[in-house]
Every structure is written in C-alpha cells, then in structure tokens.
Amino acid sequence: MSEAQQRAGAFFGRRKGKKLRSGQDELVQNLLPAIRMVPGGAPAGQFPNANARETWLEIGFGGGEHLAAQARTHRDINFIGCEPFVNGMAKLLAAIEHEKLDHIRVWDDDVTKLLPTLPDACLDRVYILYPDPWPKRRQRKRRLVSDEMLDMLARVMKPGAQLRFASDIDDYIGWVLARVLRSDRFRWTAERADDWRRPYEDWPGTRYEAKAIREGRVPSYLTLVRV
C-alpha cells in the first residue's frame, strides 16, 4: 500500500485560531480573493511582473515571516505562499498590504489541490519550513513529505531547482532523507555536516526556529536539487 493510500486527513491541523481583529478580517475578505492563485492558470500570468526572473513556492508559511523577508529581498522574483491557517494568512496579508509586496500570490487551502493544476517545470525553488511533524506513529502518514509529494513537486519544479526543507525534529529529517534517497528525481547536496547544520545563506529565521532553539532542539537545513 502506498503512502498516499495510507493517508488519513489533511497535512495540517487547525484552519482557524483566535478571532481575527477587524483589520485582519477585512484583509481576508478583500485582499485575499484578489491575490489568491487561480487553479489551472500559468503562475507567471497571475503576477504584475509576468517576466520575473523566477517563481518560488513556500508550502505552509506559518505567520509569513520568511516569505515576506524573501519577497522584500528579491523584488524580481514572484512568490506563491500556501497556508490554510487563516490567522497566519492574515499576518502575511497585512505585510503584503503595508509593504506593497505585489509579487506575492497565495493559496489558502491544501497544497495538493493546487499542485496538480500547475504546469510542468514552472517553479525555480520550493520551501517546506518547519512543517507539522505529526510525531505519533499513527499520525506519520499525515506528514507533508511523502514519495507521492516528491513526485508532485518534481513535476512542477525545473531541472536544477532547489527544494529547501528545514525541521528541528530529527525523526522527520530522517523520514525526508529516506524518501529522497530512494527517489530518482531529487539529490541531496550535502558534502559535509555544516551543509545541513548551518542555515541557508539568505536565511532570515522564523519564530518556529527561535522556539526550537530556546527549547534545546537543533534545526537541520536540507537542500535537495531536482535532478
């Protein structure tokens, strides 16, 4: 039985947290529909700059700190952010409006509903940062990274595109590497321990990472290349 057949439920937990403030609710009602990805359409055509150098996707952006930081730094790149948790989406929407980050588009549902609608080889980089580890053995089938997910990502990623995966859960790092090493579509680039121990060069950090370090957990940063 494949991992896909074993899965039960979504890869994420709650869709909503505490009640949104009025300003946040207004952004969700008005800005979100305006910048939501349209399934089936070519990504480039959904951005003001259709000729942007690259398109990067972040799956599960949490509060949007990393995505917003990358968008500030790389104004010539188009970004797609996926996050079903409405409170996290509201935080990113606030940054988009305040800083005029018009080169971000979002998807507020399960990423597996978006990926099949994207054209082949349309993404230059994908981030999966501190996803829910689903630590209990019976929950592991709900982990985002699976053989099937790697196949889905491989189709939409260009040859040479990077998949960056970070986690503070050793078991999840091992889980991902096991699936990458048996895949013929991705290659782990590490040559020495520092290649996964040190953050990425343009890494702004995230609140999940800060919490992990405070609690004594050591993050790992995997760089996987689409073969």
Side-chain angles (χ1 to χ4, degrees):
M1 182 182 294
S2 71
E3 287 183 330
Q5 291 172 318
Q6 296 178 50
R7 291 186 184 275
F11 307 114
F12 48 87
R14 298 178 301 162
R15 292 296 296 266
K16 293 183 179 180
K18 62 182 180 181
K19 184 178 179 180
L20 297 177
R21 298 189 297 272
S22 59
Q24 292 177 316
D25 186 63
E26 183 178 350
L27 289 170
V28 170
Q29 296 302 321
N30 298 313
L31 180 57
L32 174 56
I35 64 172
R36 181 185 284 124
M37 287 291 294
V38 178
Q46 301 189 45
F47 293 88
N49 182 8
N51 298 315
R53 183 163 57 90
E54 295 182 356
T55 300
W56 296 358
L57 166 69
E58 183 168 343
I59 302 174
F61 58 71
E65 303 98 332
H66 175 268
L67 180 55
Q70 294 291 353
R72 289 185 206 107
T73 303
H74 303 285
R75 295 276 179 170
D76 60 338
I77 290 174
N78 288 332
F79 291 85
I80 303 171
C82 296
E83 179 56 64
F85 187 51
V86 66
N87 300 72
M89 178 64 71
K91 291 180 180 179
L92 178 67
L93 294 175
I96 291 172
E97 181 183 59
H98 179 68
E99 302 181 48
K100 296 180 170 53
L101 302 175
D102 63 354
H103 53 312
I104 297 178
R105 292 294 178 267
V106 297
W107 181 250
D108 57 331
D109 203 342
D110 192 327
V111 70
T112 61
K113 297 179 182 179
L114 177 65
L115 289 176
T117 74
L118 297 178
D120 293 352
C122 65
L123 300 178
D124 299 271
R125 184 178 295 178
V126 176
Y127 292 97
I128 302 176
L129 307 176
Y130 296 92
D132 193 323
W134 296 110
K136 296 179 181 178
R137 184 171 298 276
R138 67 177 184 276
Q139 296 174 331
R140 291 177 185 174
K141 56 195 173 187
R142 297 182 66 178
R143 286 177 169 175
L144 176 63
V145 178
S146 65
D147 297 319
E148 287 75 17
M149 175 58 72
L150 289 177
D151 287 343
M152 292 176 71
L153 290 174
R155 184 188 66 80
V156 298
M157 294 173 65
K158 296 178 182 178
Q162 287 188 359
L163 168 58
R164 294 185 174 185
F165 179 91
S167 177
D168 59 305
I169 306 299
D170 290 345
D171 176 74
Y172 205 170
I173 292 293
W175 170 283
V176 171
L177 287 177
R179 281 144 186 80
V180 168
L181 294 174
R182 68 193 186 203
S183 169
D184 60 359
R185 301 191 178 195
F186 287 94
R187 175 176 58 86
W188 185 28
T189 64
E191 297 179 353
R192 57 188 66 85
D194 280 351
D195 291 339
W196 73 82
R197 288 176 178 168
R198 291 182 177 177
Y200 309 110
E201 288 186 3
D202 57 354
W203 180 247
T206 76
R207 58 194 172 102
Y208 296 108
E209 177 189 57
K211 178 182 178 183
I213 293 172
R214 284 197 309 269
E215 295 177 357
R217 295 188 298 277
V218 179
S220 295
Y221 309 87
L222 306 182
T223 300
L224 315 168
V225 171
R226 171 70 168 96
V227 177

